[in-house]
């Protein structure tokens, strides 16, 4: 079981890092001229009922593994500011497709269909 969890955690780190990097690439290619001291806001959509990855705690705060990884990445990149929006799982990809969020984080598994449409 421990070996499975370690492998799962490693896959999640790689996936989240790749998605975050992709969001930065697409944001950077947006054609906007920005000065060196401006902060680019990245709107991150994540689930709210998938413990331990992304859920809302008793106090109403978004917590979980996905948030912890993204917060660590956000701290390393001062030129970006992450804004989190929690939503139902079935709304994440719809929100990404419609441009309401820049990044969807929810323990996604790789599929060929997703790879054709998204940077995963």
């Amino acid at each position: 079981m421990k070996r499975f969890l370690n492998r799962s955690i490693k896959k999640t780190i790689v996936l989240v890092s790749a998605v975050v990097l992709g969001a930065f690439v697409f944001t950077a290619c947006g054609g906007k001229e920005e000065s060196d001291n401006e902060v680019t806001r990245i709107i991150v959509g994540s689930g709210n009922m998938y413990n331990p990855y992304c859920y809302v705690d008793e106090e109403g705060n978004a917590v979980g593994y996905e948030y912890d990884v993204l917060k660590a990445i956000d701290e390393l990149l001062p030129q970006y500011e992450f804004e989190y929006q929690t939503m139902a799982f079935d709304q994440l990809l719809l929100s990404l497709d419609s441009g309401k969020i820049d990044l969807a984080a929810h323990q996604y598994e790789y599929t060929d269909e997703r790879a054709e449409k998204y940077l995963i």
Side-chain angles (χ1 to χ4, degrees), residues 70-111:
L70 289 169
K71 285 178 187 177
I73 292 170
D74 191 19
E75 289 174 9
L76 295 172
L77 301 170
Q79 67 273 32
Y80 297 98
E81 176 184 316
F82 290 4
E83 177 183 314
Y84 299 93
Q85 294 184 4
T86 59
M87 57 188 70
F89 175 75
D90 61 351
Q91 296 299 307
L92 286 169
L93 295 181
L94 292 172
S95 295
L96 186 62
D97 291 343
S98 67
K100 292 180 180 178
I101 60 174
D102 302 307
L103 172 70
H106 197 289
Q107 188 62 22
Y108 286 105
E109 296 289 330
Y110 179 90
T111 66

Side-chain angles (χ1 to χ4, degrees), residues 5-109:
L5 289 176
N6 285 338
R7 194 176 311 147
S8 179
I9 290 171
K10 287 177 186 177
K11 283 182 182 180
T12 301
I13 290 171
V14 169
L15 177 62
V16 169
S17 299
V19 171
V20 170
L21 180 61
F24 296 146
V25 169
F26 288 122
T27 300
C29 296
K32 291 192 271 181
E33 294 288 325
E34 295 185 17
S35 67
D36 291 338
N37 59 359
E38 280 192 41
V39 175
T40 301
R41 184 176 61 159
I42 304 293
I43 301 174
V44 179
S46 189
N48 56 9
M49 298 179 70
Y50 192 45
N51 189 346
Y53 298 103
C54 46
Y55 61 101
V56 177
D57 68 8
E58 303 82 28
E59 298 172 7
N61 299 314
V63 295
Y65 182 78
E66 300 282 345
Y67 290 104
D68 292 342
V69 170
L70 289 169
K71 285 178 187 177
I73 292 170
D74 191 19
E75 289 174 9
L76 295 172
L77 301 170
Q79 67 273 32
Y80 297 98
E81 176 184 316
F82 290 4
E83 177 183 314
Y84 299 93
Q85 294 184 4
T86 59
M87 57 188 70
F89 175 75
D90 61 351
Q91 296 299 307
L92 286 169
L93 295 181
L94 292 172
S95 295
L96 186 62
D97 291 343
S98 67
K100 292 180 180 178
I101 60 174
D102 302 307
L103 172 70
H106 197 289
Q107 188 62 22
Y108 286 105
E109 296 289 330

